[in-house]
Amino acid sequence: MAIYLNDVSRTFGEYLLIPGLTTKQCVPSNVSLRTPLVKFAKGEKSAIELNIPLVSAIMQSVSGPELAIELARNGGLSFIFGSQPIVSQAEMVRKVKKFKAGFVVSDSNLTPENTLADILSLIQKTEHSTIGITDDGTPNGKLLGMVTSRDYRVGVDSHDAKVKDLMTPFSKLTVGKLGMSLSEANQIIWDHKLNTLPIIDKDQNLCYFVFRKDYDSHKNNPHELSDNSDKKLLVGAGINTRDYKERVPALVEAGVDVLCIDSSDGYSEWQYETLHWIKENYNNQVLVGAGNVVDEEGFLYLVEAGADFVKVGIGGGSICITREQKGIGRGQATALMDVAKARDAYFEKTGFYVPICSDGGLVHDYHMVLALAMGADFLMMGRYFARFDESPTKKLRIGNNYVKEYWGEGSNRAQNWQRYDMGGSESLKFEEGVDSYVPYAGKMKDNLKLTLGKVKATMCSCGTLNIPELQNNVKITLVSSTSIVEGGAHDVILKEQS
């Protein structure tokens, strides 16, 4: 006979937060949203800590390199989608790692014998206007000069003009020496009013560029999620349980910081084998999350397999129809509370804390606070990020409204059969996601500022200044359907509708 659970499967919309004492210290500027991403032992710190508790979903219509760059600059993390060839996914990871490194390895290089036509073609390809001129045209060849947009005039100079006649020669360049600190390099940039400082070794070989814009950018993004040693942005990547033996090495070589097995149902032997292979072959040095699960059994199964974090949620995403198609899943709030309880019990028993990620079911901004209060360490979102300029989809005008395309990984459009893999032949048997639009919302930074402002204000109303305090001290209540109506505008005629 089937096992029947007594609890009701509930969503975030069925709960409200009860205000706590708001002290004079409880102001948004004092609130910390820092949170662990991966497993750590009691008394230690997580190897990666997010500065804001948000990560972007492993989806074609969400997590490309542009969004990954912008989210990391604002304190969160993206997982580059895995439903693409291994080579292109690895290249997306490289693009993020190269973008902001403090010391940047040049990906735009030519020789003195190249032409202006070569310069223009390279700029179109790399979208970088600073070009290192080396003896062999490689990133680490002997530096002979540099070309920027100030060295030529497209409408005046011949496209056949030689680079050696256009470039600023080495003798006129201000350079830094290999081994200097980033602060020392920035000081030279400031003192000499430079936009770019080439860094060379003792043999005059080009090693890196340091850019003024990166320094300014870092000042404008104080919560940037980057490596402390080299200032490279952090980025994750999604993998599946089919080609992981080829995909993981390519992503590790590209510099990925953390992996996540992407599946609608993570409670499987396929995920166990994938986790075990990664941990064994990389001596526990590669960080990898797993999921998705909705109960204690699923959580413990993946943790014992070696998962560094576990994703919670089946069927709660706005474009997910798994519950409709297969009748499996659980209300996101109920699933999250159950797994959080298992996480805490595991920590008490073993001394290892395994963060959990709430994936799906967030409709309103205050649901983010509810999810964190119910035990989530961080939140994975797709629809939220798909609306922004930085997502990889097209902005379209439909009627009088601007929208962006947004499709599920379980849709025919994505063709991500590996995510819904149940063994057998390689094909998508039926859809578990839809193809849709979301309202266009503009730049990520502006929207994040508003959203995080709401989150911090709500935490202050609960009398808490950080996520652990929120989880340990907040009071939560169930609400009736009529009290939900009461919570919105009612019994008035809104002016924009009159």
Side-chain angles (χ1 to χ4, degrees), residues 2-38:
I3 300 171
Y4 289 88
L5 302 183
N6 292 323
D7 61 353
V8 178
S9 188
R10 298 192 182 278
T11 66
F12 296 127
E14 297 177 79
Y15 293 92
L16 285 176
L17 297 153
I18 302 295
L21 173 63
T22 303
T23 66
K24 293 179 180 179
Q25 287 72 40
C26 283
V27 293
S29 59
N30 288 338
V31 173
S32 169
L33 296 177
R34 196 167 176 83
T35 190
L37 179 74
V38 293

Side-chain angles (χ1 to χ4, degrees), residues 341-383:
K341 184 178 179 181
R343 185 263 324 274
D344 293 343
Y346 183 83
F347 178 55
E348 288 297 318
K349 179 181 178 181
T350 67
F352 286 96
Y353 187 92
V354 182
I356 57 176
C357 168
S358 180
D359 180 13
L362 301 171
V363 179
H364 304 291
D365 286 350
Y366 81 88
H367 288 175
M368 298 181 191
V369 186
L370 273 168
L372 295 169
M374 290 174 176
D377 295 284
F378 57 98
L379 317 172
M380 177 172 279
M381 298 188 292
R383 178 186 59 86

Side-chain angles (χ1 to χ4, degrees), residues 229-483:
S229 60
D230 59 14
K231 298 302 179 183
K232 289 183 179 180
L233 297 180
L234 302 191
V235 63
I239 60 173
N240 60 64
T241 57
R242 285 273 184 164
D243 65 9
Y244 60 91
K245 292 182 181 179
E246 296 76 39
R247 190 174 294 270
V248 171
L251 293 171
V252 171
E253 190 277 330
V256 75
D257 296 287
V258 59
L259 302 171
C260 183
I261 305 174
D262 185 29
S263 174
S264 64
D265 179 10
Y267 191 13
S268 74
E269 291 184 344
W270 291 290
Q271 287 220 10
Y272 190 101
E273 291 175 357
T274 303
L275 285 165
H276 188 264
W277 183 89
I278 294 171
K279 292 301 179 180
E280 187 176 66
N281 281 270
Y282 288 93
N283 195 29
N284 288 316
Q285 297 303 304
V286 172
L287 302 172
V288 55
N292 288 18
V293 300
V294 293
D295 64 5
E296 177 184 15
E297 289 182 12
F299 170 79
L300 291 176
Y301 184 80
L302 294 179
V303 169
E304 293 300 329
D308 291 296
F309 66 85
V310 174
K311 287 206 295 144
V312 179
I314 295 178
S318 60
I319 42 69
C320 183
I321 55 173
T322 295
R323 295 179 193 174
E324 290 181 12
Q325 293 283 55
K326 296 169 66 176
I328 67 167
R330 198 176 191 186
Q332 188 65 13
T334 302
L336 181 57
M337 288 187 285
D338 191 13
V339 175
K341 184 178 179 181
R343 185 263 324 274
D344 293 343
Y346 183 83
F347 178 55
E348 288 297 318
K349 179 181 178 181
T350 67
F352 286 96
Y353 187 92
V354 182
I356 57 176
C357 168
S358 180
D359 180 13
L362 301 171
V363 179
H364 304 291
D365 286 350
Y366 81 88
H367 288 175
M368 298 181 191
V369 186
L370 273 168
L372 295 169
M374 290 174 176
D377 295 284
F378 57 98
L379 317 172
M380 177 172 279
M381 298 188 292
R383 178 186 59 86
Y384 179 86
F385 290 113
R387 305 173 301 146
F388 302 146
D389 284 326
E390 295 83 1
S391 74
T393 62
K394 298 177 182 177
K395 182 177 75 171
L396 306 171
R397 183 170 182 172
I398 298 180
N400 293 323
N401 299 310
Y402 283 102
V403 298
K404 294 205 76 175
E405 295 181 293
Y406 179 49
W407 60 91
E409 290 296 289
S411 66
N412 277 328
R413 180 172 183 176
Q415 288 294 308
N416 186 5
W417 62 267
Q418 296 96 333
R419 188 175 197 272
Y420 303 87
D421 189 10
M422 300 296 290
S425 61
E426 302 181 1
S427 63
L428 190 66
K429 305 298 190 300
F430 54 86
E431 288 189 290
E432 293 188 43
V434 299
D435 194 351
S436 65
Y437 301 110
V438 289
Y440 169 67
K443 294 185 179 300
M444 180 196 296
K445 191 176 185 69
D446 297 336
N447 286 274
L448 269 181
K449 183 177 181 181
L450 178 61
T451 294
L452 296 177
K454 290 181 184 178
V455 169
K456 290 181 177 182
T458 303
M459 289 174 65
C460 288
S461 292
C462 294
T464 59
L465 289 173
N466 54 56
I467 293 172
E469 283 185 12
L470 180 72
Q471 293 171 344
N472 293 325
N473 301 324
V474 76
K475 292 178 287 186
I476 300 174
T477 182
L478 267 172
V479 295
S480 67
S481 58
T482 51
S483 68

Side-chain angles (χ1 to χ4, degrees), residues 67-374:
L67 188 132
I69 288 167
E70 188 62 18
L71 184 51
R73 293 175 72 193
N74 285 279
L77 184 85
S78 282
F79 287 90
I80 301 294
F81 66 93
S83 51
Q84 60 176 314
I86 295 172
V87 172
S88 58
Q89 187 186 23
E91 188 54 40
M92 287 186 180
V93 169
R94 286 192 189 91
K95 186 172 183 179
V96 179
K97 301 304 290 186
K98 285 180 180 179
F99 173 79
K100 185 85 170 341
F103 294 99
V104 181
V105 176
S106 176
D107 65 355
S108 299
N109 305 281
L110 294 171
T111 72
E113 296 303 317
N114 284 111
T115 65
L116 177 56
D118 296 322
I119 292 174
L120 299 177
S121 176
L122 185 60
I123 291 173
Q124 186 175 19
K125 178 183 178 181
T126 65
E127 298 181 353
H128 295 155
S129 59
T130 298
I131 300 173
I133 309 304
T134 59
D135 61 343
D136 58 2
T138 66
N140 299 118
K142 185 175 182 179
L143 183 64
L144 302 178
M146 195 167 73
V147 170
T148 70
S149 58
R150 293 181 296 184
D151 292 315
Y152 57 85
R153 294 171 296 175
V154 176
V156 177
D157 295 320
S158 169
H159 283 207
D160 295 325
K162 294 285 188 179
V163 168
K164 62 185 178 183
D165 297 323
L166 300 172
M167 70 182 189
T168 300
F170 180 81
S171 60
K172 294 184 178 180
L173 293 177
T174 300
V175 298
K177 298 295 184 180
L178 182 63
M180 69 184 341
S181 68
L182 184 59
S183 60
E184 289 172 334
N186 283 323
Q187 190 61 50
I188 293 174
I189 288 174
W190 182 261
D191 291 341
H192 294 269
K193 297 181 171 59
L194 304 175
N195 288 322
T196 308
L197 178 69
I199 305 296
I200 61 172
D201 65 14
K202 59 183 178 59
D203 297 318
Q204 199 179 312
N205 294 316
L206 176 62
C207 300
Y208 305 104
F209 282 134
V210 178
F211 297 97
R212 174 186 287 270
K213 66 179 180 64
D214 285 350
Y215 177 80
D216 293 339
S217 174
H218 182 68
K219 290 298 183 184
N220 293 329
N221 294 277
H223 300 300
E224 181 179 276
L225 189 66
S226 58
D227 188 285
N228 289 331
S229 60
D230 59 14
K231 298 302 179 183
K232 289 183 179 180
L233 297 180
L234 302 191
V235 63
I239 60 173
N240 60 64
T241 57
R242 285 273 184 164
D243 65 9
Y244 60 91
K245 292 182 181 179
E246 296 76 39
R247 190 174 294 270
V248 171
L251 293 171
V252 171
E253 190 277 330
V256 75
D257 296 287
V258 59
L259 302 171
C260 183
I261 305 174
D262 185 29
S263 174
S264 64
D265 179 10
Y267 191 13
S268 74
E269 291 184 344
W270 291 290
Q271 287 220 10
Y272 190 101
E273 291 175 357
T274 303
L275 285 165
H276 188 264
W277 183 89
I278 294 171
K279 292 301 179 180
E280 187 176 66
N281 281 270
Y282 288 93
N283 195 29
N284 288 316
Q285 297 303 304
V286 172
L287 302 172
V288 55
N292 288 18
V293 300
V294 293
D295 64 5
E296 177 184 15
E297 289 182 12
F299 170 79
L300 291 176
Y301 184 80
L302 294 179
V303 169
E304 293 300 329
D308 291 296
F309 66 85
V310 174
K311 287 206 295 144
V312 179
I314 295 178
S318 60
I319 42 69
C320 183
I321 55 173
T322 295
R323 295 179 193 174
E324 290 181 12
Q325 293 283 55
K326 296 169 66 176
I328 67 167
R330 198 176 191 186
Q332 188 65 13
T334 302
L336 181 57
M337 288 187 285
D338 191 13
V339 175
K341 184 178 179 181
R343 185 263 324 274
D344 293 343
Y346 183 83
F347 178 55
E348 288 297 318
K349 179 181 178 181
T350 67
F352 286 96
Y353 187 92
V354 182
I356 57 176
C357 168
S358 180
D359 180 13
L362 301 171
V363 179
H364 304 291
D365 286 350
Y366 81 88
H367 288 175
M368 298 181 191
V369 186
L370 273 168
L372 295 169
M374 290 174 176

